[in-house]
Amino acid sequence: MPDRTVFRGTAFSCDADDRVQALVDHLFVVEDGFITAVLPADDPAAAEAVGDAEAVSTQPGQYWLPGFVDLHVHAPQWAQAGTALDLPLADWLRQHTFPLEARFADVDFARRVYASLVAELLARGTTTALYFATVHPTSSLELVLACAAAGQRGLVGKVVMDGPDNPDFYKDADASAAVADTGWFIRRVQELRAATGAEVYPVITPRFIPSCTDEALAGLGALARDLGVHVQSHCAESDWESSHVRERTGRSDSAALDGFGLLGERSVLAHCVHLDDDDVALFASTGTAVAHCPLSNAFFGDAVAPVRRYARAGVDVGLGTDISGGFDPSLWSAIRQTVTSSRMLESGVDAAQPPAARGVPDSRVTFEQAFALATAGGGRSLSLPIGRLAEGYAWDAQLIDVVGHRPLPIFDDDEPERILQRIITLATPANIRAVWVQGRKVVADGEVVVGH
Amino acid sequence: MPDRTVFRGTAFSCDADDRVQALVDHLFVVEDGFITAVLPADDPAAAEAVGDAEAVSTQPGQYWLPGFVDLHVHAPQWAQAGTALDLPLADWLRQHTFPLEARFADVDFARRVYASLVAELLARGTTTALYFATVHPTSSLELVLACAAAGQRGLVGKVVMDGPDNPDFYKDADASAAVADTGWFIRRVQELRAATGAEVYPVITPRFIPSCTDEALAGLGALARDLGVHVQSHCAESDWESSHVRERTGRSDSAALDGFGLLGERSVLAHCVHLDDDDVALFASTGTAVAHCPLSNAFFGDAVAPVRRYARAGVDVGLGTDISGGFDPSLWSAIRQTVTSSRMLESGVDAAQPPAARGVPDSRVTFEQAFALATAGGGRSLSLPIGRLAEGYAWDAQLIDVVGHRPLPIFDDDEPERILQRIITLATPANIRAVWVQGRKVVADGEVVVGH
């Protein structure tokens, strides 16, 4: 007999076309972590669908939302989140980030930082995260274990960086060791998943072209083809990165990654601020997804990624916090910054220029579209059945309370659409009462349930 | 005998040059709401300075910060915060905002909305707010009473909008009624202050030039000269507003407001996105302050206000949330968006342009500078002794807890500067344990103490 629970209440979730729907007083039948039926509570078939399942109902002022999918997190950088945002990308990596990441050779330190990060992400409604760990294979497994212990769906990569420009204290020994360590890491994660049922996945993770040799990139591309696992890297993040790759390979960042066999349905590339139309077509034709990180891009990207243009071209797009290039661990903030940055792309920023020369028309992302990026878009980017409260999807959900400790300003206009707008724009962690991942409750009464 | 309390702990506050200082384990002697001495706890004179005063000390992981000064809040718009951000300014006013504000003729509705807003601002550490109420004199007093009841320092204006373009259902009867009602409102607020000691101030508040007749603007300018009270309005918010004023008056928005006698040391003008060098010089020479509202500007401003340029020219600058043109009531968010928007102004937004043509050099605001704008800059803008934890200033303070319910990611680098960076970037309302306004505790254990 499957484990069955019925969740009842009003939910907000995207339909198959990424339009946000209000499902007023619905039942969500969940069996072994997956939604097997969605129906209005007053449907004649409701009683039969519920049967003797355990029932979890919302209180007044509470709503179901899908959990968020964070497509770009550098887990070790949680230890410097909020600091050190004063340098350009290449200097920032050398002076701040590589020395910090090198410390994760210390497994005890890694364990402390990773446990904190996973808990803080879950408390903010992030039920799935696509993580860069560090170069160290064993220490990177600590992040997988932290996800498994706290019940977060974690896609984790041991970082590959074997190129000659990396610091001696923080790099792979050589290309073949980098590829072999990646293979070892993938097997360990798959074994853990098979043995425990934890929702953890291995990810092939070349840091980015500037830090990897061609040999390592080609080796990882072959692994991706052979094993069919997820792939992540950075692409076209900044002027510096784009020009570096073009000088070295004669091609754009996306075309070069494609040449190494690293694009595909399970590939997610972070940033993608500087793509031309050929690049965009390559993303669409290969099924490669963009992890849009608007906060980080303001500090390191040199421009705003035109994600509406990408979406119109049929590219899968989701959102990332990019801890710690982005300081804020909340995808709620990323949704809001996506909208805000898109408005600034559309209007431009320099008042000294004439209005028509200032911005890029048709760039704006609405709050509902940004909400879709953080949920359904993230799921589609990972090719996993997550990000929607719909039949066949995992029960990854947040229970939002708009009337409790920090009530939202709802006075008398309580139509569902107005409620949702306030939730998207104004909810803080205090409004997230509980969180489930694949049917398992991982946050209760606003507190993370570790090792549940 | 004065009421004396000594607050002990590590504090972060600006010095007289707006540099943020860490005052490690200091004593702050507060008498009748004002700081009369600041000294290290191990100073030989400490015991004498403390005497038999009540002592309030931080727990480990807690820090004193000055309370925030929000220089631009449309209090009635709290009822639509987070909604209706899809239209340009003039349409947004007509379709959403004026119909909402008209409802504040209903004093009971006003009371509910204002009490909620003041509580939510205090819970986020905003100890002083400069408010637009509505056209209605009596209902606007409800906002003053809400501030007095909750203990927030409130500067409140009855809005003047007597021009022919305003809707019939929401406007002053005529210019003389508008000026007379403003005078009545000022007297009532001054009487309340005198009778109760509440930290409430009246503000002369022409909405903006497009909504006011010349006669009303001149009448309010004469009132400002006669009474010496604060003045607020909007200035150069958008392309539309700037061109409207230029067509009507033949001058820039700032020059026109100056012509009506509305600039001065106690004047605060919101937005100021579109100022030329002459305008900036006029702000500096008259002592007029800019309320920078970066979130709102992304939706309605058509560009980013270059506040570093203004500060370099000697203009007083502070921050505003601009509820509800800005959806977020937190000045913490405004600090972060100030930095983020300034980086986007500096780098530009359109990747299709060459890097050198994309942005405006030397525009970036650091996190510490933005923190200074929200505290010392706000106090200086209002010409009030607030915004710093220094001798002669009011004890307006936030007690920040970095290790409690939502701990900040501090692992082993706990130098004060690194702590402060994390507080500025990562604190949420859950990290604000208590708040004082002029020596009175108005938030305790994260909850607002109303009518204390």
Side-chain angles (χ1 to χ4, degrees):
Chain A
M1 286 290 288
D3 179 45
R4 291 178 82 247
T5 308
V6 175
F7 297 89
R8 176 172 179 175
T10 294
F12 297 103
S13 176
C14 290
D15 65 14
D17 296 318
D18 276 4
R19 283 182 304 239
V20 184
Q21 306 286 307
L23 302 167
V24 177
D25 197 13
H26 272 55
L27 302 176
F28 298 85
V29 182
V30 176
E31 297 187 357
D32 290 337
F34 285 86
I35 302 168
T36 55
V38 177
L39 66 176
D42 60 3
D43 189 292
E48 190 184 349
V50 173
D52 58 356
E54 184 195 356
V56 179
S57 293
T58 55
Q59 301 297 311
Q62 295 185 334
Y63 300 88
W64 300 112
L65 267 67
F68 289 147
V69 181
D70 189 335
L71 288 183
H72 192 51
V73 188
H74 288 276
Q77 296 175 22
W78 179 234
Q80 69 177 12
T83 70
L85 292 164
D86 53 335
L87 295 175
L89 182 60
D91 301 324
W92 176 82
L93 288 171
R94 268 191 291 271
Q95 294 184 36
H96 296 301
T97 304
F98 291 157
L100 171 64
E101 292 193 9
R103 292 187 56 198
F104 283 70
D106 174 353
V107 169
D108 289 334
F109 183 63
R111 202 173 285 145
R112 285 170 59 212
V113 174
Y114 291 156
S116 164
L117 172 61
V118 171
E120 291 304 310
L121 291 181
L122 282 175
R124 288 164 175 80
T126 298
T127 47
T128 298
L130 177 57
Y131 289 113
F132 280 58
T134 62
V135 157
H136 321 97
T138 307
S139 170
S140 296
L141 279 180
E142 291 295 333
L143 177 54
V144 180
L145 293 169
C147 294
Q152 188 182 47
R153 183 179 293 99
L155 298 91
V156 179
K158 169 242 171 309
V159 175
V160 168
M161 38 192 290
D162 69 321
D165 290 345
N166 296 301
D168 288 338
F169 60 82
Y170 188 57
K171 64 190 303 187
D172 292 287
D174 56 40
S176 65
V179 175
D181 283 352
T182 298
W184 177 89
F185 179 80
I186 291 170
R187 286 191 300 278
R188 292 292 86 70
V189 178
Q190 291 177 331
E191 287 165 4
L192 180 72
R193 179 180 170 79
T196 67
E199 270 296 296
V200 290
Y201 298 79
V203 184
I204 292 171
T205 306
R207 186 169 203 116
F208 61 165
I209 287 180
S211 67
C212 298
T213 62
D214 287 5
E215 185 186 352
L217 292 163
L220 295 178
L223 262 192
R225 195 173 48 245
D226 293 347
L227 302 179
V229 301
H230 288 87
V231 175
Q232 64 182 339
S233 192
H234 301 82
C235 179
E237 176 171 3
S238 66
D239 291 317
W240 168 81
E241 188 199 334
S242 294
S243 62
H244 181 102
V245 173
R246 190 168 289 281
E247 281 171 28
R248 171 170 147 196
T249 69
R251 295 192 282 185
S252 74
D253 209 344
S254 346
L257 289 164
D258 189 44
F260 292 116
L262 292 164
L263 301 194
E265 284 292 346
R266 293 190 168 205
S267 295
V268 178
L269 299 184
H271 306 305
C272 303
V273 177
H274 303 264
L275 301 186
D276 66 22
D277 287 344
D278 290 342
D279 297 325
V280 176
L282 187 58
F283 273 75
S285 65
T286 57
T288 304
V290 169
H292 177 48
C293 307
L295 183 58
S296 162
N297 291 345
F299 291 87
F300 298 107
D302 302 318
V304 176
V307 292
R308 283 305 301 160
R309 183 180 129 220
Y310 301 165
R312 282 193 294 265
V315 177
D316 290 337
V317 181
L319 297 187
T321 56
D322 190 22
I323 292 291
S324 69
F327 55 80
D328 193 323
S330 167
L331 268 194
W332 294 90
S333 301
I335 288 171
R336 296 163 195 164
Q337 191 62 49
T338 294
V339 175
T340 303
S341 288
S342 79
R343 298 292 287 251
M344 295 169 73
L345 176 59
E346 181 165 293
S347 65
V349 291
D350 179 8
Q353 295 186 36
R358 215 179 272 156
V360 180
D362 301 324
S363 293
R364 70 172 61 184
V365 179
T366 67
F367 284 100
E368 294 205 352
Q369 288 166 344
F371 177 79
L373 296 179
T375 56
R380 198 161 49 236
S381 295
L382 293 171
S383 302
L384 290 174
I386 58 173
R388 294 176 56 203
L389 301 180
E391 198 178 319
Y393 283 71
W395 181 254
D396 292 5
Q398 315 181 48
L399 181 64
I400 304 297
D401 189 331
V402 304
V403 296
H405 177 58
R406 289 265 68 78
L408 303 189
I410 299 160
F411 296 97
D412 48 9
D413 56 335
D414 56 356
E415 307 86 0
E417 298 70 24
R418 304 271 292 177
I419 301 274
L420 176 65
Q421 288 174 25
R422 271 124 169 172
I423 290 173
I424 294 176
T425 49
L426 293 170
T428 76
N431 299 105
I432 305 174
R433 298 312 301 156
V435 178
W436 284 257
V437 178
Q438 206 148 307
R440 172 181 168 191
K441 194 170 189 175
V442 295
V443 173
D445 295 328
E447 298 291 345
V448 178
V449 185
V450 178
H452 180 72
Chain B
M1 285 291 287
D3 179 46
R4 291 177 83 247
T5 308
V6 175
F7 297 89
R8 177 172 177 174
T10 294
F12 298 102
S13 177
C14 290
D15 66 13
D17 297 319
D18 277 3
R19 284 183 302 241
V20 184
Q21 306 286 306
L23 302 167
V24 177
D25 196 12
H26 271 56
L27 303 176
F28 299 84
V29 182
V30 175
E31 298 187 354
D32 291 337
F34 285 86
I35 302 168
T36 55
V38 178
L39 65 176
D42 60 3
D43 189 292
E48 192 184 348
V50 172
D52 57 357
E54 183 196 355
V56 179
S57 293
T58 53
Q59 302 297 312
Q62 295 184 335
Y63 300 88
W64 300 112
L65 267 67
F68 289 147
V69 181
D70 189 335
L71 287 183
H72 192 50
V73 188
H74 288 276
Q77 295 174 23
W78 179 234
Q80 70 178 11
T83 70
L85 292 164
D86 52 335
L87 295 175
L89 182 59
D91 300 324
W92 176 81
L93 288 171
R94 269 191 291 271
Q95 292 185 35
H96 296 301
T97 304
F98 291 157
L100 171 64
E101 292 193 8
R103 292 187 54 197
F104 283 71
D106 175 353
V107 169
D108 289 333
F109 182 63
R111 202 173 284 144
R112 283 170 60 211
V113 174
Y114 291 157
S116 164
L117 172 61
V118 171
E120 291 305 310
L121 291 180
L122 282 174
R124 288 163 175 80
T126 298
T127 47
T128 298
L130 177 57
Y131 288 112
F132 280 58
T134 61
V135 157
H136 321 97
T138 307
S139 169
S140 297
L141 278 181
E142 291 295 332
L143 176 55
V144 180
L145 293 170
C147 294
Q152 188 183 46
R153 184 178 293 98
L155 298 91
V156 179
K158 168 242 169 310
V159 176
V160 168
M161 38 193 289
D162 69 320
D165 289 346
N166 296 301
D168 287 337
F169 61 82
Y170 188 58
K171 65 190 300 187
D172 291 287
D174 56 39
S176 65
V179 175
D181 284 351
T182 297
W184 177 89
F185 179 80
I186 291 170
R187 287 191 299 277
R188 293 293 85 72
V189 178
Q190 291 177 330
E191 287 165 6
L192 182 71
R193 179 180 170 79
T196 67
E199 270 295 295
V200 290
Y201 299 79
V203 185
I204 291 170
T205 306
R207 185 167 204 121
F208 61 166
I209 288 181
S211 67
C212 298
T213 62
D214 287 6
E215 186 186 351
L217 292 163
L220 295 177
L223 263 191
R225 196 173 49 243
D226 293 347
L227 302 180
V229 300
H230 288 87
V231 175
Q232 64 183 339
S233 192
H234 301 80
C235 179
E237 177 171 1
S238 67
D239 291 316
W240 168 80
E241 188 199 335
S242 293
S243 62
H244 180 103
V245 173
R246 192 168 288 280
E247 280 171 31
R248 171 170 148 194
T249 69
R251 295 193 281 186
S252 74
D253 209 345
S254 346
L257 289 164
D258 189 44
F260 291 115
L262 292 164
L263 302 193
E265 284 292 345
R266 293 192 168 203
S267 295
V268 178
L269 299 185
H271 306 304
C272 303
V273 177
H274 304 263
L275 301 186
D276 66 23
D277 287 344
D278 291 342
D279 296 324
V280 175
L282 188 58
F283 273 75
S285 65
T286 57
T288 304
V290 169
H292 177 47
C293 308
L295 182 59
S296 162
N297 292 345
F299 292 86
F300 298 107
D302 303 317
V304 175
V307 292
R308 282 306 300 159
R309 182 179 131 222
Y310 300 165
R312 283 192 294 267
V315 177
D316 291 337
V317 181
L319 297 187
T321 56
D322 191 22
I323 294 291
S324 69
F327 55 80
D328 194 322
S330 166
L331 268 194
W332 294 91
S333 301
I335 288 171
R336 297 163 194 162
Q337 190 63 47
T338 294
V339 175
T340 304
S341 287
S342 79
R343 298 293 286 253
M344 296 168 75
L345 175 60
E346 182 166 294
S347 65
V349 291
D350 179 8
Q353 294 186 37
R358 215 180 274 156
V360 180
D362 301 324
S363 293
R364 70 172 62 185
V365 178
T366 68
F367 284 101
E368 294 205 352
Q369 288 166 343
F371 177 78
L373 295 179
T375 56
R380 199 161 48 236
S381 296
L382 293 171
S383 302
L384 290 174
I386 58 173
R388 293 175 56 204
L389 301 181
E391 198 177 319
Y393 283 72
W395 181 254
D396 292 4
Q398 313 181 49
L399 181 63
I400 302 298
D401 190 331
V402 304
V403 296
H405 177 59
R406 289 267 67 79
L408 302 189
I410 300 161
F411 296 97
D412 49 10
D413 56 335
D414 55 356
E415 306 87 358
E417 297 71 21
R418 303 270 293 176
I419 300 274
L420 176 65
Q421 288 174 27
R422 270 125 169 172
I423 290 174
I424 294 176
T425 49
L426 293 171
T428 76
N431 298 105
I432 305 173
R433 297 312 302 156
V435 178
W436 284 257
V437 178
Q438 205 147 306
R440 173 183 168 188
K441 194 170 188 174
V442 295
V443 173
D445 295 328
E447 298 292 345
V448 177
V449 184
V450 178
H452 180 73

